[in-house]
Amino acid sequence: MAALNITKQNFQEEVMNSDKKVLIDFWASWCGPCRMVSPVIEEIAAERTDIKVCKVNVDEEQELAAAFQVMSIPALVVMENGKVVNQAVGARPKAQILSLL
């Protein structure tokens, strides 16, 4: 399954109401490190059916980025039962991203 694009409109349903752990990638098209992490995020989305993988474009969804106090990107946030359980900032190898889960 591909990573879901999250907006204000679907955030409550897809993230807050999810019965699975959710990995959120906050990114922007102009961000070089984001472009390095993006294929890894898509790979994880395809491989892991036990979690939900989502992407938030910080340029299009500034309110969501502000709500999570995203100051630097890429920012990865792991949520479970509507609460942040882990987070990291900066490009990371796949193993480190998986260790957040």
Side-chain angles (χ1 to χ4, degrees):
M1 189 168 152
L4 289 167
N5 190 37
I6 297 298
T7 64
K8 281 188 317 218
Q9 287 72 30
N10 68 359
F11 177 78
Q12 184 69 36
E13 177 64 29
E14 296 293 350
V15 177
M16 298 304 283
N17 297 344
S18 177
D19 55 353
K20 298 178 178 181
K21 237 182 219 183
V22 182
L23 172 64
I24 309 170
D25 172 26
F26 288 88
W27 69 285
S29 59
W30 48 264
C31 165
C34 298
R35 289 196 301 268
M36 289 170 29
V37 169
S38 188
V40 176
I41 296 296
E42 290 297 339
E43 210 174 279
I44 292 169
E47 293 170 358
R48 297 283 302 263
T49 56
D50 59 319
I51 62 169
K52 188 178 282 192
V53 181
C54 304
K55 295 176 75 75
V56 174
N57 183 322
V58 296
D59 289 334
E60 295 171 1
E61 298 298 331
Q62 293 175 358
E63 280 181 47
L64 283 178
F68 283 89
Q69 299 175 338
V70 173
M71 299 296 176
S72 298
I73 53 174
L76 302 170
V77 175
V78 179
M79 295 190 67
E80 193 168 17
N81 300 321
K83 293 185 176 42
V84 175
V85 293
N86 214 338
Q87 53 194 3
V89 176
R92 311 218 170 225
K94 185 176 179 181
Q96 279 187 17
I97 295 172
L98 290 172
S99 74
L100 295 171
L101 300 167

